Amino acid sequence: MARKRASGGRGRRTWTPRVEDYTQVLVEQNPWHRDGEVPAALAPPVERRLAPLLAKSLQAADPWRFQLVMGPRRVGKTTCLNQAVRGLLRAGVRPARVWWLRLDHPLLLQFDLGALLSVVRDVDPDPSEPAFVFLDELTYARDWDLWLKTFHDERWPFRLAGSSSATAALGDRRLESGVGRWEEQYLAPYLFGEFLDLLGRDVPLRVEATLAETLAAALDERPDLARLAPLRTAFMLTGGFPELLTPFAGGDVDPAADLESLLLRSQRTLRGDAVERAVYKDIPQAFGIDDPMLLERLLYTLAGQVTGLVSPQRMRQELDGLSQPTFDRYLSYLERAFLVFTLPNYSGREGAVQRRGRRVYFVDGAVRNAALQRGVRPLTDTEEMGLLYENLAASHLHALARQTQARLHHWREGQHEVDLVYDESDQPLAFEIASSGSHSRAGLLRFLERFPQFEGRAYLVSPDAPPLSPGTAAGRIGTLPLDLLLLAASRQADRALALRLGG
């Protein structure tokens, strides 16, 4: 227990931590030091794709890089790190060489990283073995980027992995500190392919070097997509968050049996965990804002026009004359907290890309439903469902682009538009997302006239579209079932992640 000390007020006392209190925190946060195992409650058996790859990369001596796991709240970052700890122990790393520090703990917040890791270094000094240190909620530590730079440049005997629910003001100084010293690993919500694997519904798909090649191969081989539509709808409405999806893993819960209950449960959970904690805790802590209620109103307004063009002037009017600099800053905070992302208009010329209108999407459409407190409306509103289809496709391509470093855009010129332009090296793709295969192809046709480099790689995507290659389609526009695009993007993201981490 901590010692009581008089505070100077009338009979009031404060708590002064003792050395034993800090020691107890370290004992509690590192249970494997006692029994050599990670408790199952911390590292459940169902692993995200990143967990085993992270454990493997931390053991690699060359290149020597720290790993920072970034992503939305409730996406499983802490669980992933714990699973990586388990992987290290099973690979033969001594438990005493593996350390966990949760840096938002009230006691640990009082120290800088240098002091904390000096303790770790001195507890079990062994120059022949590195210590593996996991820094949960890393960005709560003061000057964390400068300390990581110091640890790397001075060759402290550590292999480090950290996590954060916000990029925490990764400005120019922090980006410069990170070059050659750490890598950021984006942990997205579950993608559709990973969800199917969770259910034991593997759909074999040959994965090629690029998404364009993978789709072309799939259109030739025609993977079995039968009976996926109810699962995709349940996945889309529930959201790709582990705590909402893992009950389906044992087969005890049918994800398509009671969509209303799943939808309402998702909104209740994500409203508190993904929306309010990000808006009222993560972003204020990371960026020092003093009006989180205004930030929540902005998020609500964005949710109401998801998949649409961002109109700063109109939104500023709706938000009581919000200034342009504040609007831009707050929108960037929502993006850097992994709640939303925006897509610039494709121009084909790098210098013109950022000067035209942006579209807004949510990293997961279920978070959008929670922000709006939509209730069961998506189940009966076809327009609402169409927005969610487009957001689902956009979020999958966004997650893939984070792994491949490709660029994702939309395109609009006058009355013509294309929803998603996946600009990857010399095999770019264009997609129009629709609720029906009878949707107009006028935007795609105009786009091909303007950008002939997309010839043979332009698709209309809808839940009911037949698989048809652009080379055999009338009008040069191929068609893709939505489930095939989601599955291909999922598998392509898995491949890119494994390649980046040496898997």
Side-chain angles (χ1 to χ4, degrees):
M1 295 288 293
R3 182 175 52 214
K4 291 182 179 179
R5 183 180 68 184
S7 65
R10 288 194 168 192
R12 291 184 296 175
R13 296 179 180 274
T14 59
W15 296 91
T16 303
R18 303 174 300 180
V19 172
E20 301 95 296
D21 298 314
Y22 298 103
T23 302
Q24 184 61 32
V25 170
L26 295 181
V27 169
E28 292 170 351
Q29 293 191 358
N30 294 271
W32 45 87
H33 288 180
R34 180 177 61 254
D35 54 25
E37 295 184 357
V38 182
L42 298 178
V46 178
E47 291 187 336
R48 298 299 311 270
R49 299 273 193 258
L50 178 60
L53 295 170
L54 187 61
K56 181 178 179 180
S57 69
L58 288 173
Q59 295 177 81
D62 185 32
W64 186 40
R65 298 284 190 272
F66 302 152
Q67 299 292 339
L68 304 189
V69 179
M70 304 289 194
R73 270 200 170 274
R74 314 308 299 175
V75 83
K77 298 181 299 297
T78 298
T79 298
C80 184
L81 292 186
N82 273 299
Q83 290 169 336
V85 170
R86 182 176 61 198
L88 291 174
L89 299 179
R90 290 178 176 176
V93 176
R94 287 195 300 119
R97 304 300 295 172
V98 182
W99 286 85
W100 185 280
L101 299 174
R102 179 169 177 171
L103 296 175
D104 63 349
H105 190 285
L107 293 184
L108 301 188
L109 280 170
Q110 301 180 47
F111 294 92
D112 61 40
L113 275 179
L116 290 172
L117 267 66
S118 293
V119 173
V120 170
R121 181 188 57 191
D122 297 339
V123 165
D124 183 19
D126 185 345
S128 67
E129 292 184 71
F132 295 86
V133 183
F134 292 81
L135 303 173
D136 196 22
E137 296 295 353
L138 166 66
T139 51
Y140 275 77
R142 296 188 302 273
D143 295 324
W144 61 270
D145 57 317
L146 299 181
W147 278 112
L148 261 58
K149 182 176 184 294
T150 298
F151 299 149
H152 187 279
D153 294 353
E154 296 182 1
R155 290 285 170 169
W156 286 45
F158 299 137
R159 306 283 175 82
L160 295 182
S163 74
S164 177
S165 296
T167 51
L170 279 175
D172 293 339
R173 185 186 66 143
R174 287 189 159 94
L175 289 172
E176 181 181 350
S177 297
V179 172
R181 300 180 178 95
W182 68 72
E183 297 177 348
E184 294 179 27
Q185 305 300 338
Y186 176 62
L187 187 62
Y190 267 70
L191 301 183
F192 189 48
E194 191 176 5
F195 173 62
L196 294 178
D197 293 343
L198 180 71
L199 299 180
R201 292 289 305 274
D202 179 44
V203 177
L205 188 74
R206 179 156 56 95
V207 181
E208 302 290 350
T210 67
L211 179 61
E213 293 170 323
T214 295
L215 288 173
L219 288 172
D220 285 339
E221 297 176 2
R222 303 292 180 93
D224 183 10
L225 305 177
R227 298 183 298 279
L228 292 187
L231 299 178
R232 179 239 306 142
T233 299
F235 170 72
M236 179 174 70
L237 296 177
T238 302
F241 297 87
E243 67 184 282
L244 296 171
L245 296 180
T246 49
F248 306 146
D252 298 330
V253 179
D254 180 357
D258 188 350
L259 290 179
E260 183 173 317
S261 294
L262 291 176
L263 181 59
L264 294 177
R265 176 173 176 258
S266 168
Q267 291 180 37
R268 287 194 302 269
T269 300
L270 296 179
R271 176 72 191 172
D273 289 349
V275 176
E276 292 180 352
R277 293 197 67 180
V279 168
Y280 288 96
K281 181 181 179 182
D282 293 337
I283 294 176
Q285 183 274 328
F287 303 108
I289 71 167
D290 54 9
D291 193 354
M293 290 186 66
L294 179 58
L295 188 69
E296 184 179 15
R297 289 175 59 204
L298 174 59
L299 182 67
Y300 181 90
T301 305
L302 290 169
Q305 62 177 56
V306 69
T307 79
L309 289 176
V310 175
S311 171
Q313 182 176 0
R314 188 180 71 188
M315 296 188 73
R316 287 166 48 207
Q317 291 174 348
E318 292 183 16
L319 295 170
D320 303 324
L322 182 69
S323 70
Q324 183 70 48
T326 300
F327 170 82
D328 292 337
R329 190 169 68 251
Y330 277 26
L331 177 57
S332 76
Y333 295 161
L334 293 173
E335 291 192 78
R336 292 158 80 172
F338 307 107
L339 288 170
V340 304
F341 61 94
T342 58
L343 301 184
N345 195 359
Y346 182 78
S347 71
R349 300 191 312 278
E350 182 62 32
V353 166
Q354 298 295 339
R355 293 201 296 268
R356 305 175 72 178
R358 292 175 292 171
R359 272 191 179 183
V360 62
Y361 295 91
F362 273 68
V363 169
D364 191 295
V367 176
R368 177 255 185 186
N369 293 339
L372 288 174
Q373 302 183 64
R374 245 350 178 215
V376 298
R377 178 176 169 181
L379 296 176
T380 58
D381 189 324
T382 56
E383 182 178 352
E384 190 88 356
M385 193 63 78
L387 296 177
L388 293 176
Y389 286 148
E390 184 178 335
N391 198 101
L392 184 63
S395 64
H396 276 60
L397 292 175
H398 171 71
L400 173 59
R402 295 289 299 248
Q403 298 296 345
T404 62
Q405 306 304 306
R407 300 192 179 190
L408 188 62
H409 307 267
H410 76 98
W411 177 76
R412 184 184 180 104
E413 185 178 83
Q415 298 301 310
H416 297 288
E417 60 182 6
V418 172
D419 292 327
L420 300 168
V421 179
Y422 182 75
D423 191 12
E424 182 178 28
S425 61
D426 59 347
Q427 297 198 52
L429 292 151
F431 303 101
E432 179 70 14
I433 313 300
S435 298
S436 168
S438 62
H439 185 81
S440 171
R441 290 151 172 80
L444 285 168
L445 290 171
R446 175 59 178 160
F447 182 78
L448 288 177
E449 291 175 7
R450 290 277 286 108
F451 305 104
Q453 66 267 33
F454 286 82
E455 189 72 42
R457 291 185 296 272
Y459 295 93
L460 177 70
V461 181
S462 74
D464 63 350
L468 187 61
S469 170
T472 60
R476 303 170 296 154
I477 306 298
T479 55
L480 284 175
L482 176 60
D483 295 334
L484 181 56
L485 175 60
L486 301 178
L487 184 62
S490 301
R491 301 304 188 208
Q492 205 73 38
D494 291 344
R495 179 184 185 276
L497 176 64
L499 287 174
R500 288 178 60 236
L501 290 178

